[in-house]
């Protein structure tokens, strides 16, 4: 599975959009981009995933560039409860696949 | 109501002891996993089971033995505990490889 690069930390004001970038320049055609987050002392939480097209759900939007070498997770109106470590993961999605978690981005939302 | 539940939440034990962590999911998922999060916060997959069959064993020492009595349960038994086994262990489940994983709240194991 391809590796990802994310900033170590980011800040965001409450109520503003949080845009979390991820680079995955070695992604291959059958690999998906997944986003998870881990709020302190809790288990990781699935947010969203996509292959080529942009995706949106009740939690976030995922924007994938046309060449698929990078993506951005958007939390449209960040709240204090969105403070967490956000993981961008590239994953083939096969039964034998492994969901590898890197360092992620520590997002801190300020009041 | 809880989707993936782990017990116990905290476990403190002495070196050399044998302990078990239990995991149950009520989501009807086919696949279950064990992950280990060490003190540096890296999350690493340990095992994956699909319909009670071992699919992935990520070079985990054989002191760690997962057991899946049925599709809804995946327990982790650890023999001869070592200091380095201290970590948070997370159980997870998924409906299929392409679906998101649902994680439990973790078991914090401390070996003294």
């Amino acid at each position: 599975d391809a590796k990802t690069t994310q900033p170590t930390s980011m800040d965001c004001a409450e109520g503003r959009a949080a845009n979390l970038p991820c680079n995955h320049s070695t992604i291959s055609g059958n690999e998906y981009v997944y986003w998870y987050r881990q709020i302190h002392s809790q288990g990781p939480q699935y947010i969203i995933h996509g292959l080529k097209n942009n995706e949106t759900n009740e939690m976030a939007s995922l924007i994938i560039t046309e060449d698929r070498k990078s993506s951005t997770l958007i939390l449209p109106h960040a709240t204090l409860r969105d403070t967490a470590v956000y993981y961008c993961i590239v994953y083939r999605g096969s039964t034998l696949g492994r969901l590898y978690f890197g360092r992620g981005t520590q997002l801190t939302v300020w009041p | 109501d809880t989707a993936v539940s782990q017990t116990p939440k905290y476990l403190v034990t002495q070196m050399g002891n044998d302990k078990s962590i239990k995991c149950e999911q009520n989501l009807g998922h086919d696949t279950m996993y064990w992950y280990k999060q060490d003190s540096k916060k890296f999350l690493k997959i340990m095992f994956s089971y699909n319909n009670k069959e071992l699919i992935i064993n990520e070079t985990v020492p054989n002191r760690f033995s997962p057991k899946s009595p049925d599709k809804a349960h995946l327990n982790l038994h650890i023999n001869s505990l070592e200091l380095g086994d201290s970590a948070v262990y997370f159980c997870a489940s998924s409906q299929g490889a392409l679906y998101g994983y649902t994680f439990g709240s973790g078991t914090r194991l401390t070996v003294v």
Side-chain angles (χ1 to χ4, degrees), chain A residues 30-56:
Chain A
N30 61 352
E31 289 179 320
Y32 290 74
V33 179
Y34 283 76
W35 284 84
Y36 283 76
R37 73 180 182 184
Q38 187 173 23
I39 296 170
H40 182 62
S41 298
Q42 296 182 22
Q45 178 188 22
Y46 164 80
I47 301 172
I48 199 167
H49 76 279
L51 182 64
K52 293 180 184 177
N53 301 320
N54 299 336
E55 302 287 345
T56 296

Side-chain angles (χ1 to χ4, degrees), chain B residues 32-100:
Chain B
M32 295 186 72
Y33 312 84
W34 276 109
Y35 275 79
K36 176 182 179 181
Q37 188 165 38
D38 59 26
S39 57
K40 296 182 179 177
K41 302 295 185 184
F42 275 117
L43 264 164
K44 295 179 184 175
I45 188 168
M46 300 174 69
F47 299 104
S48 166
Y49 268 72
N50 184 261
N51 277 319
K52 300 192 301 176
E53 289 192 23
L54 179 66
I55 301 297
I56 294 171
N57 180 342
E58 192 78 350
T59 60
V60 177
N62 57 15
R63 297 184 296 106
F64 290 79
S65 53
K67 294 271 191 314
S68 183
D70 56 57
K71 205 172 77 165
H73 295 84
L74 180 62
N75 304 322
L76 184 65
H77 188 76
I78 315 170
N79 288 328
S80 303
L81 278 155
E82 300 176 357
L83 294 176
D85 298 331
S86 296
V88 182
Y89 292 83
F90 288 100
C91 177
S93 72
S94 72
Q95 188 166 328
L98 282 181
Y99 293 87

